[in-house]
Amino acid sequence: MDKIIIEGGRALKGKVKISGAKNAALPILAACILTPGLHVLENVPRLNDIKTMKRIMAKFGINFAKKQGLLEVNSNNVLGFEAPYDLVKTMRASILLLGPLLARYGRARISLPGGCAIGARPINFHLKALTAMGADISLNHGYITAQAGKLRGANISFDIPTVTGTENIMMAAVMAQGQTILRNSAKEPEVVDLANMLRGMGADIEGDGTDTITINGVKELRSARHKIISDRIEAGTFMIAAAMTKGDIKIDACCPENLRALMDKLEHAGATISFFDDCISVKGPDIIESVDIKTIPYPGFPSDLQAQFMSMMCIAKGWSMVRETIFENRFIHVSELRRMGANIEINGNQALIRGQEQLFSAPVMATDLRASACLILAGLVANGERTEVHRIYHLDRGYEDLEKKFKALGASIWREKVIS
Ligand code: EPZ
């Protein structure tokens, strides 16, 4: 296991290029199962979650080849349809294989993803919708076994917007018999990117990016070439880092339109932000103002940036409130921030943060993907020798070369092997 060491106190300066979006690449990889062919994907990020998804898909007989920065996905010979527990347990997004396997083969056996550090992460909305489309689903021995003749279109309304639920049903519906209408669907940019890939494959989809998506099933699809959108959560992580280190950075290959909620909050905190086309410039203030946030589905403030923003509020002037409404246990990073001198009180899904003059370096432990990033940001501003962030395998699931990118912006940060 590795750890990341940070010597805090440096302002970030310079330029950083954002990688492709993990949460777009995962459903788009799964969509390649839908039809035989040779798909070509561009801007696929080099992440452990992507490696895991490819390992599971390879078990189905799908082959991958990297050529000049592109990823070729050969789905001509899909032989299997089982996603085993030992792989699914490391990446819950494997549930995204359910819809495409049912649509193409009428069969799937996927390990129940189970919960994770941030919550129970149920998949009842996925299963209820697939049942409405004619799938026969049983749960036993920790696996979902699903069978379906030809899936049929249905009217589906999600109790609450679910990102992977929306994506799973979109993929199940593109070759179903008749029309599927998805109401209260997720509006995230990653859902729209998947819809763009599916349209490139010949699907008939409208309304993605709104709360009602209409899909008319088509007889067959074709292979496609698609460029994955930029990772808005990585971009947001760098924006917050610049704001909290009195930095001045330019973020390239990002999509400002997808980051409006964060930009608004950072400006209220005193940051100066400008943007043009696919780049955003962020200049951090001398004094960080306290700002309250509440995480809600897109286009609201993203749950995936809550921990990082909380790091910044730990050194803001005054009190701020963070409300987490998406996941029931997404404050695990608080105990680690407290070890660095943060003053945070938790009451249910609300955290009250009293800004401190400074944070102090300490050995801390990452507990989930975004908590890892939050602790690195705290390390960037912590005074003292060095902050050590342990268990950074969590980080490597969803950030490509994060410490190298921070180092290129002037941070004193490096990775060390932990000999256990
Ligand atoms: C996606 O997770 C993202 N993952 C998450 O990013 C992100 O935090 C989340 O959406 C919310 O934006 C991927 O896209 C791979 P949900 P997902 O279904 O789809 C409840 C990261 O750090 N729910 O939108 O699993 C659920 O418990 C990860 O990159 C049900 O009750 O989240 C939650 O409270 C973390 N039943 C809410 O809905 C269901 O069947 C929203 O979850 C499905 C969801």
Side-chain angles (χ1 to χ4, degrees), residues 22-23 26 92-93 118 121-126 160-164 188 304 326-327 330 369-370:
K22 166 179 83 82
N23 291 348
L26 290 170
R92 305 188 61 269
I118 64 176
R121 311 295 294 277
I123 53 163
N124 54 318
F125 302 155
H126 299 237
I160 49 177
T162 158
V163 174
T164 49
E188 273 69 3
D304 292 348
I326 305 291
F327 294 110
R330 205 168 196 174
L369 170 55
R370 306 305 175 185

Side-chain angles (χ1 to χ4, degrees), residues 47 233-234 237 308 369-370 373 395 397-402:
L47 302 169
I233 304 302
E234 183 190 14
T237 302
Q308 299 91 313
L369 170 55
R370 306 305 175 185
L395 189 81
R397 291 188 48 198
Y399 285 97
E400 186 178 330
D401 299 331
L402 191 66

Side-chain angles (χ1 to χ4, degrees), residues 133 204 209 239 285 322:
M133 296 176 74
D204 177 352
M239 290 167 69
V322 170

Side-chain angles (χ1 to χ4, degrees), residues 197-327:
M197 166 71 172
L198 292 170
R199 273 187 285 265
M201 294 168 71
D204 177 352
I205 300 181
E206 288 177 353
D208 44 290
T210 75
D211 60 7
T212 304
I213 299 177
T214 303
I215 301 140
N216 293 305
V218 295
K219 281 213 176 314
E220 59 182 11
L221 295 171
R222 57 180 181 268
S223 54
R225 177 179 179 131
H226 182 82
K227 181 176 181 181
I228 308 286
I229 54 165
S230 165
D231 193 315
R232 63 191 167 99
I233 304 302
E234 183 190 14
T237 302
F238 281 104
M239 290 167 69
I240 296 168
M244 53 194 288
T245 60
K246 299 187 178 60
D248 187 351
I249 72 169
K250 190 164 173 285
I251 300 165
D252 277 344
C254 66
C255 182
E257 188 50 41
N258 295 341
L259 286 152
R260 292 233 177 236
L262 175 64
M263 281 198 248
D264 178 54
K265 293 296 182 180
L266 287 177
E267 285 175 335
H268 279 90
T272 306
I273 295 178
S274 58
F275 58 92
F276 181 74
D277 274 354
D278 68 346
C279 76
I280 297 176
S281 295
V282 179
K283 193 171 177 345
D286 290 335
I287 306 282
I288 298 169
E289 299 297 334
S290 293
V291 175
D292 297 344
I293 61 166
K294 174 182 170 187
T295 65
I296 55 175
Y298 191 87
F301 192 95
S303 175
D304 292 348
L305 285 173
Q306 177 259 106
Q308 299 91 313
F309 196 85
M310 185 186 283
S311 274
M312 183 170 76
M313 290 299 103
C314 290
I315 54 167
K317 185 181 75 184
W319 295 82
S320 58
M321 176 76 81
V322 170
R323 282 187 65 196
E324 172 58 57
T325 73
I326 305 291
F327 294 110

